[in-house]
Amino acid sequence: MKKAWKILGVALGFIGIFAAMPDADAKRKNNEPEKILYIPHDNRPVVYDQTLEIIQKAGYQVVMPPKEIMGGRDDLGNPDRLWEWLARNTKKDIKAAVISSDAMLYGSLVSSRKHNYGKQIILERAELFREFHKKHKKLPLYVFGSVMRTPRNGVASGYEEPDYYRNYGANIFRYTALIDKLELEGLTPRENKEIVFLQKLIPERAMDDWMERREKNFEANEKLVDMADEKIFNCLLLGRDDNAPFSQTHIEGRNLAKYGENISKNKYQTIAGIDEVGLMLLTRAINDRTNNKPSIFVSYNLGTGGETVPSYSDETIDTSINAEFMAVGANRVYDTARADFILAVNTNIDGATYEAPNANNTTTPRQSTTNFVNTVQNYLDEGNKVAVADIAFANGSDNALMEQFKNRKMLFKLQAYAGWNTATNSSGFALSTGILTKKMSAEDKNQLLFTRYLDDWAYQANIRNTVAARLDWIEGDGYYNLLDDKKYDAADWCEQMYTSFIRNNLPEVKVKNQFSVEFPWNRMFENRIVFK
């Protein structure tokens, strides 16, 4: 177990000065859309289908691997096939490449947590990025990867960690939180006793396995940082997946930040979140390509506001949003008159971020909700464009907020909206989409809003748990995390509830509203809305 902890004390630095990207020729031959190559970290709807749709509506052709060779929940992917696909599909007409290192090193994000690859194989795969750059020196290359997450317990892991995490996840989380606190602040006498007790409680085999895999991930990320320092990448983002202010992810994230501290943050950052990072780097690639540096004003709700430390994060939301601005190539301004649009962030007055199924998530307006809607309304009335990051609740929209938006007929006056999963998932998605809607028709912008309202508001905050509570009514084997026989009946129920939701909550706008529902990962956590 001693070997596993060597990643906790990294204190190296490299100095890197990056050459500017060549000026882009924005003219497109024969009016054909320019091509951007994109390899996401798996085949989930939000990182594959929905991200693809946004970039397409912004006027670009996205060259992506077929879903069959992308990793999923059970099929952990095949890095060798992805490298072969990349070699075949990187043609001269590709204008930029945005690539997940998790896909290329392990097969997928889930595989990064469960694989059994040796360290040498992983590091050799990382070196392939250098070889790829040598063959395509003029191709702007943007890479994103994960700093492995630290779920709070077995349930929070969603069955995406090794099996032992179901039994010992809460203990592992607490143990690494105490290790982190020990390094940063020191422990109380009671915490010192607790850490000794946890060492005895967690099986050594489980802890060794978990930490050994993390050590491989850490060393691979160090190699990627070295390449960023060598100007292999136009930008490298390492996303700190689900974590907390004290956690193993926080330990590794701050050590990786220290490792590359002398590299410009415009070229390398560790950043809170992961699932939004692919869209953010695609947005960055487009901004670089078009020499665009949008100016954005940030507005928070009453109370804690930007000092909110959301669940699943290790820092304030304002710190995360500043990092996201740097990542997408945007400029934060403090005068609405100078802003291309306003990013309005819905937070709770006390800084708490509850889960969307929480009993507090009702349609009854709160003081802070009314204030936030009034603020957004005033911005719109003054002629400003507004994108909303709805982070008052994790894993779904704020029902009170959406009810007021509906009642005031504001839903489709927004430029962008996101209220899904973690706070940074939402802020990064809203920010990126808000930037790209400048290139879209009103109809395309509204279609994206329609998708978000169905996914974040209808499904995540309401339908998902209603259907989950009724799964026992369906014959056959299956439950929330493994639907199996119940998958198709559950999808039928969701379609019926979506139809009712649209009728009662979403005004008629010119969008595609005929759809079917699928559960691509055989669980209820996410669904795929397939428009016809």
Side-chain angles (χ1 to χ4, degrees):
M1 191 165 167
K2 291 181 180 179
K3 175 186 176 184
W5 293 100
K6 74 178 186 179
I7 64 176
L8 301 179
V10 179
L12 300 176
F14 289 85
I15 297 175
I17 301 173
F18 283 74
M21 238 182 119
D23 290 337
D25 177 11
K27 296 181 181 179
R28 301 177 183 181
K29 297 179 181 179
N30 302 319
N31 293 320
E32 292 182 359
E34 291 187 341
K35 294 181 181 179
I36 298 177
L37 186 146
Y38 172 50
I39 301 180
H41 51 233
D42 56 41
N43 59 16
R44 279 172 299 157
V46 72
V47 299
Y48 193 102
D49 306 86
Q50 293 175 10
T51 295
L52 169 64
E53 181 184 22
I54 292 168
I55 303 303
Q56 287 177 330
K57 290 188 184 308
Y60 292 83
Q61 182 177 342
V62 186
V63 179
M64 293 176 69
K67 287 179 183 173
E68 304 81 70
I69 69 169
M70 293 302 306
R73 185 189 185 190
D74 299 316
D75 178 359
L76 300 183
N78 188 318
D80 295 333
R81 288 187 68 187
L82 285 173
W83 281 109
E84 291 169 2
W85 179 91
L86 180 61
R88 290 196 310 269
N89 288 275
T90 307
K91 308 288 180 61
K92 291 183 178 180
D93 58 351
I94 300 292
K95 302 302 181 184
V98 178
I99 300 175
S100 160
S101 63
D102 290 308
M104 308 310 285
L105 301 186
Y106 316 108
S108 69
L109 184 63
V110 172
S111 183
S112 73
R113 308 162 184 159
K114 302 173 76 169
H115 70 85
N116 290 307
Y117 295 120
K119 181 171 68 175
Q120 189 60 36
I121 292 175
I122 294 169
L123 295 179
E124 287 173 359
R125 287 175 181 157
E127 278 295 318
L128 293 177
F129 279 110
R130 193 189 309 277
E131 297 303 314
F132 178 79
H133 173 70
K134 287 180 181 178
K135 293 179 181 177
H136 307 281
K137 287 189 176 180
K138 293 184 179 181
L139 178 66
L141 178 59
Y142 304 80
V143 172
F144 64 101
S146 68
V147 181
M148 291 176 69
R149 68 179 187 168
T150 311
R152 289 184 175 273
N153 50 53
V155 174
S157 73
Y159 296 88
E160 294 172 20
E161 298 285 333
D163 289 345
Y164 54 75
Y165 209 86
R166 300 180 197 177
N167 297 320
Y168 300 103
N171 296 327
I172 291 172
F173 173 86
R174 178 61 179 164
Y175 179 64
T176 68
L178 290 172
I179 292 293
D180 195 9
K181 188 171 186 243
L182 174 64
E183 291 189 359
L184 295 175
E185 298 180 1
L187 301 180
T188 66
R190 182 173 181 175
E191 288 170 334
N192 277 315
K193 292 180 181 178
E194 183 182 2
I195 203 170
V196 172
F197 174 73
L198 288 169
Q199 282 178 320
K200 296 177 181 178
L201 190 63
I202 303 167
E204 185 173 347
R205 180 184 298 178
M207 197 67 191
D208 282 351
D209 177 77
W210 196 70
M211 288 301 302
E212 182 182 10
R213 198 171 287 107
R214 300 189 75 97
E215 180 183 348
K216 295 172 187 176
N217 176 262
F218 188 88
E219 291 193 30
N221 282 336
E222 281 185 318
K223 185 172 282 290
L224 294 177
V225 175
D226 290 343
M227 292 183 202
D229 187 56
E230 297 167 28
K231 307 177 186 179
I232 303 297
F233 310 131
N234 289 68
C235 184
L236 170 67
L237 293 182
L238 296 178
R240 301 190 301 278
D241 203 357
D242 296 354
N243 71 108
F246 291 121
S247 65
Q248 184 63 27
T249 306
H250 183 244
I251 293 171
E252 294 165 14
R254 59 187 171 83
N255 284 331
L256 284 165
K258 179 75 173 176
Y259 188 76
E261 64 183 343
N262 292 316
I263 303 174
S264 166
K265 288 186 177 180
N266 189 48
K267 299 298 183 181
Y268 162 64
Q269 290 188 89
T270 67
I271 192 167
I274 187 61
D275 288 337
E276 73 280 14
V277 176
L279 177 60
M280 288 167 54
L281 276 186
L282 286 163
T283 304
R284 167 68 174 276
I286 291 171
N287 281 338
D288 286 351
R289 178 82 185 143
T290 57
N291 294 314
N292 180 44
K293 192 173 182 65
S295 296
I296 304 161
F297 180 90
V298 182
S299 176
Y300 290 102
N301 204 349
L302 286 173
T304 307
E307 293 304 305
T308 297
V309 179
S311 52
Y312 308 104
S313 183
D314 59 358
E315 64 187 14
T316 68
I317 188 61
D318 196 60
T319 301
S320 295
I321 286 175
N322 281 331
E324 290 172 346
F325 273 48
M326 183 72 71
V328 300
N331 180 41
R332 182 170 181 174
V333 296
Y334 296 87
D335 179 358
T336 57
R338 296 174 52 208
D340 293 304
F341 69 89
I342 293 164
L343 179 66
V345 186
N346 178 40
T347 53
N348 284 309
I349 199 165
D350 60 357
T353 48
Y354 306 101
E355 292 294 314
N358 189 284
N360 293 330
N361 194 11
T362 69
T363 57
T364 302
R366 307 180 296 279
Q367 178 189 359
S368 61
T369 309
T370 303
N371 172 79
F372 186 77
V373 176
N374 287 341
T375 300
V376 173
Q377 180 75 70
N378 289 337
Y379 286 142
L380 293 172
D381 290 345
E382 292 167 359
N384 297 290
K385 296 178 178 179
V386 181
V388 171
D390 184 4
I391 68 166
F393 294 88
N395 293 305
S397 299
D398 179 344
N399 281 320
L401 172 67
M402 305 312 289
E403 184 75 9
Q404 287 209 27
F405 276 167
K406 178 190 75 173
N407 292 341
R408 298 198 196 186
K409 302 185 182 343
M410 295 167 62
L411 289 169
F412 289 94
K413 292 181 182 179
L414 302 177
Q415 287 301 110
Y417 169 86
W420 60 279
N421 289 21
T422 71
T424 59
N425 289 162
S426 291
S427 59
F429 230 69
L431 171 64
S432 299
T433 310
I435 291 170
L436 295 174
T437 52
K438 181 180 179 181
K439 300 175 176 291
M440 300 179 195
S441 66
E443 183 178 346
D444 283 342
K445 184 263 296 183
N446 287 340
Q447 187 71 54
L448 295 178
L449 285 168
F450 190 72
T451 298
R452 292 265 61 81
Y453 295 149
L454 289 187
D455 201 340
D456 308 353
W457 181 18
Y459 186 73
Q460 293 192 41
N462 296 284
I463 294 173
R464 173 169 58 190
N465 287 287
T466 300
V467 174
R470 300 174 182 175
L471 285 176
D472 287 344
W473 302 1
I474 303 174
E475 293 183 359
D477 295 327
Y479 53 97
Y480 183 94
N481 274 311
L482 205 64
L483 285 169
D484 288 349
D485 299 341
K486 304 186 178 188
K487 181 163 57 175
Y488 299 107
D489 284 342
D492 287 342
W493 282 0
C494 287
E495 288 174 21
Q496 294 172 31
M497 296 182 74
Y498 271 131
T499 300
S500 176
F501 184 92
I502 292 169
R503 182 173 60 249
N504 294 329
N505 295 283
L506 296 177
E508 289 188 10
V509 291
K510 192 176 180 182
V511 295
K512 293 180 180 178
N513 57 15
Q514 299 298 312
F515 59 88
S516 60
V517 171
E518 301 172 353
F519 293 106
W521 276 30
N522 193 31
R523 65 181 186 183
M524 289 216 62
F525 186 73
E526 68 277 292
N527 70 175
R528 176 183 292 129
I529 305 167
V530 183
F531 290 101
K532 300 175 182 178

